[in-house]
Structures are given as C-alpha cells and as structure tokens.
Amino acid sequence: NSFDPIVNPDDIDFIVVKATEGLSIDPKFEEFLGPIQTIPIRGAWHFFQPDQPWQEQADLFLSTVKDKGFHFYALDLEVNSSDGSTTFLTDAEQWLTYVDERVEQKVILQTGSYYINSFGPDGDWMKEWPLLLMSYPLEPDRNGSPVLPTGVEDWKIWNYSEGRGLGAEYGVGGNDVYLEVYNGTPKDMWEWLEITSFSIYDRPSDKLIHPNLSIQVTSPNGIAFNPDGTYIASAGEDMV
C-alpha cells in the first residue's frame, strides 16, 4: 500500500522509511518518496546483510537516498552471519563510518539491546553510535522507555511497537507499521539533527523546493515547514 500523510497528521512528527536491503532497493521506496515529504522530519534506513559486501551496500544506499530530502540515516543491524562468525560486525561498523563521512546528516544505528549485549565486548562499538532501539513491551507505551544495552544510559529513538494491524490508522492501509518515538520533543529533535531551514513540497509537480530557490507554487497542496515543526505556509493559487 502507499502512504497517505493526511490520515493522521497530528500524530506524526517524523518518519523513517526503508530505502535498501543488502544490494537491493526497497520496492516501495520510490513510491513513498513523494508523500513522505509532507512530514517535517524524515529518515531513511538500510537493512544490513552480513553475507554481502559492506561497501557495495553502503554505496547503493548513498546513491538511493542522495538529494531525496532526508534529515538522518540509519543502519538496521539485527541479523547474524550465516556461518556463525562475528567478523561481519567490523563490516557493519565500516558501513556506518563510511556513510557518516560522506553525508552531512546524522547517521544512527538501529538495533536491539539484546542483540548488542549478545556479542559481549565485540559489540561495545555499537554503544558509541546514537541508537534507534527496537524493543517491544507487551503493552506498548510511547511514554515509557526501552530496555537499554549494558552500560548505555541514553537513546535517541525507540521503536516501541511493530504496529500490527495499525497501518490504516497511520495512512499505510492494511499494512503493519513500526511505531517510534524520539527521546524528547519535536523541537529537541530538530535541534539534535541541526535542521535550520524548511522545504516546500508541491504534490501535483512532485517537487521538493528549498528556501534558496525562488519559485511560484500554484497549488493549494504546497506546504512549508519551519524548524520547530509547525506549518508556516500553505501555498494557494498565485501565492509564493
């Protein structure tokens, strides 16, 4: 199913979409690109495959998300190598460093506390990255806190529910949808991501317009956002 951002706009401050997995582009990525531009804060993630070349995975991700209006990127690390070795952990760390050195946006690690702890000292490097933690309590509560890895005292984003059957409530039809919360306010998130400008997304033309570009928006479906996450302009006919 596609994403309809007007279904529940008051409950969505940010969105994270899957861009790539291993050496493949997610089949829904291009379809979602247009609609998600109406969400003030946008992230994209890559699902890491331990048995595939890390740099090829990183290069595919970078080419896929380049100039697509994202504010942060994430590496989803949650599976093990098929041969049972842990050498892929070095590859995953290299992926993060490689991508981080080539983008201006924040790069974070998406994983689980149990997963990190399971590697003992070999997994300590994961604790040094900003964390998007996957932790699903029996009774999901966005106002709670995730179980943290040993020795970790902070987290950035919490994937607190797999959202089974909740897709329609958030504009993705009958699909499941991961529910996530930032550890702070939307304004805190803007400041952490160092977002200092806004963009206008014009739905009919499917174009993302940045504030340094002079352009006339002739559709009532053009929306602008400012850094605190509020709407600052809804462009109607003959408005700029």
Side-chain angles (χ1 to χ4, degrees), residues 96-220:
L96 283 162
T97 302
Y98 183 85
V99 171
D100 189 49
E101 291 174 346
R102 286 162 175 78
V103 298
E104 296 180 356
Q105 297 88 339
K106 298 282 188 185
V107 178
I108 67 178
L109 176 62
Q110 176 176 328
T111 189
S113 295
Y114 174 80
Y115 186 85
I116 294 177
N117 289 339
S118 69
F119 296 106
D122 288 342
D124 283 348
W125 65 266
M126 291 186 254
K127 303 173 185 178
E128 299 174 4
W129 289 86
L131 293 174
L132 190 167
L133 287 173
M134 298 178 287
S135 175
Y136 309 121
L138 293 177
E139 296 184 6
D141 179 6
R142 72 177 70 182
N143 296 312
S145 297
V147 175
L148 298 177
T150 302
V152 173
E153 298 180 355
D154 189 30
W155 55 276
K156 289 300 182 183
I157 300 174
W158 177 24
N159 176 196
Y160 66 92
S161 173
E162 295 177 288
R164 298 193 183 281
L166 295 179
E169 183 178 341
Y170 292 92
V172 291
N175 291 347
D176 298 335
V177 57
Y178 289 119
L179 302 181
E180 300 176 340
V181 62
Y182 179 73
N183 189 13
T185 67
K187 186 175 185 296
D188 292 334
M189 192 174 190
W190 274 92
E191 292 175 351
W192 173 62
L193 293 172
E194 300 178 343
I195 303 172
T196 58
S197 63
F198 64 86
S199 300
I200 297 173
Y201 174 66
D202 187 54
R203 286 182 186 152
S205 66
D206 193 30
K207 291 182 179 179
L208 183 66
I209 305 159
H210 293 281
N212 60 334
L213 298 178
S214 177
I215 188 166
Q216 187 175 39
V217 180
T218 58
S219 164

